[in-house]
Amino acid sequence: MSSVDQQIAENRAKKKKMIVTGVIVSVFACLLIGVVVTLLAYFPVSGNTRVAEEKQEKSEPQINSANQAIDRKELQTVLNETSQRVSEIVATPYLSKWKPSKVEGFQTSIDQAFNDYGASNYSQAQTTIEQLNTDITEYQSAFEKAYKQPYADAAKAFAADDIDDAAQLNAQALKVKGDYSDALALQKRIDTYHEVADLYEQARVGGVEGNIEKQRAAYQQILKLDPQQQEAKAALAKVEQQIKQQRFARVLATAVKAIDNKDFDRAQEALAKASAIDNNRSELATLQAQIDAELKSQGVKSLEKRIQVFAGADEWQTVQMLAEKGLVDYPDSRVVQQAKKSAGEILAASSALDVYIERPGRLADNNIRQNAINAVSKYSGLTQLSAKLGEKINQVEQLIEKENQPIDVTIRSDNRTYIKVLGVGVVGEVREKVIQLKPGKYQLEGRREGYRSVIVDVVVEKSGTPIVINVQCNERV
């Protein structure tokens, strides 16, 4: 039975209750009609009867003609779609409660349309449905405007620091649609407005006092309360840059003092710290050149010691640079040779892993994910030399694991075929069963006594479509 027929049947069931109540009224109506008929028999009005018959004869062909012009299947489809629209409105909390009388009217109209259809009055049913769809569209548009317009006005008021109007207008929007995400987000900003203003004042005072840490703390707290504060973002970036420059200057001064005292190990350590703060400063190259010149005169042992310092600091770019340069003067040094080799391997491994870290979505591909697994296995031995590389390996492993979560696979059969996932496990004899497999390629084997076995190849991968596999032995042997 189609959904239209079901709806008609339900409407008819409702009417049956009304029929019982109307039986007594109908009896009296029949008696009254009998009296009228008797009177008409004695006092016939032939002219009026003829006119009524002519009107009926004219109207019936018009109705029949209009009904015949209606495509019933198309009308059924429209009835179902419109009924679904009404159901969705009723099921949507804020939309249905906005104007309940309107929603009740929609329900009445769709019931009337089904009644007209059941009475074969297709033309009237179509007219009702067309008007109902127009009314629903207008209702939905009006509802959307009722909460979006106050929200838009509230956002403008908030941007103009008119907090009272912003609160009032946003409250109107939430009254209509309490789960409107944009209005909820704006409400959070409204709620923290005065606290944010106080923090801006703290930042200003910190600037006057020259207390840059106080400024940073204030801006950080502002962004914690209201992440959309662009002024605070820009100010925090400026303050962070100032702090960075101060740290760089202190560390660089330590490096210069160490060079003057011929303490090149300490100078190299300080220079490495300065490079970690800002590796684009020209002073680094100047001081490095000065250190290199001093160290060159002390021979290969000094070079090897510097390399060990940078290797211990996990600065393999610098290790590679020092090793390549040192081999020009000390080509026979095994320590320098090994340092160059290790630096090259670590840097290459780091670059290879960055490909997966920067574009983790590619790991959804089975081949690329397998390449990533191979890379992790290949470079794991280098983690003893580089903690940073170990962190990258851990990050890639986490990304692989995230993309390698088991996926539901539905197995359907005839409850007589014995099914196995080759290399994984047994499914058994089932009619339908959901198993979980990690992304990859699998073979499902089906066996049944007296029938030819079957092998089904399956590729399990993330998809919006459920994976359903049919395995049945149907061919007798």
Side-chain angles (χ1 to χ4, degrees), residues 66-124:
N67 285 335
Q68 290 174 359
I70 300 297
D71 185 334
R72 290 184 60 190
K73 289 186 177 179
E74 182 177 349
L75 181 56
Q76 285 184 1
T77 300
V78 175
L79 278 168
N80 285 329
E81 291 175 350
T82 307
S83 178
Q84 181 63 28
R85 289 186 74 186
V86 173
S87 298
E88 289 174 356
I89 289 175
V90 172
T92 304
Y94 292 104
L95 184 60
S96 62
K97 294 179 181 178
W98 183 47
K99 292 185 178 181
S101 60
K102 282 276 190 181
V103 178
E104 290 176 3
F106 296 157
Q107 292 175 299
T108 301
S109 295
I110 192 63
D111 288 342
Q112 184 60 47
F114 276 108
N115 290 337
D116 289 336
Y117 184 92
S120 300
N121 193 355
Y122 307 128
S123 177
Q124 182 59 43

Side-chain angles (χ1 to χ4, degrees), residues 316-317 320 342-359 362 372 375-376 378-379 382 386 388-390 392-393 396:
W316 290 97
Q317 191 74 45
Q320 185 182 55
S342 298
E345 292 174 348
I346 291 171
L347 293 174
S350 180
S351 297
L353 294 173
D354 284 340
V355 173
Y356 303 111
I357 295 172
E358 292 169 2
R359 299 178 62 188
R362 298 173 67 245
V376 168
K378 177 180 179 182
Y379 302 132
L382 296 173
S386 173
K388 292 179 181 178
L389 184 63
K392 287 190 176 183
I393 287 177
V396 172

Side-chain angles (χ1 to χ4, degrees), residues 275-295:
S275 178
I277 296 171
D278 188 351
N279 62 1
N280 293 318
R281 297 287 291 270
S282 59
E283 298 96 319
L284 295 174
T286 301
L287 289 178
Q288 186 65 60
Q290 183 179 352
I291 292 173
D292 291 343
E294 293 286 350
L295 290 176

Side-chain angles (χ1 to χ4, degrees), residues 183 243 423:
I243 293 174

Side-chain angles (χ1 to χ4, degrees), residues 3-13 79 114-115 117-119:
S3 58
V4 172
D5 293 333
Q6 290 175 347
Q7 185 70 37
I8 293 170
E10 291 173 2
N11 291 339
R12 285 177 176 170
L79 278 168
F114 276 108
N115 290 337
Y117 184 92

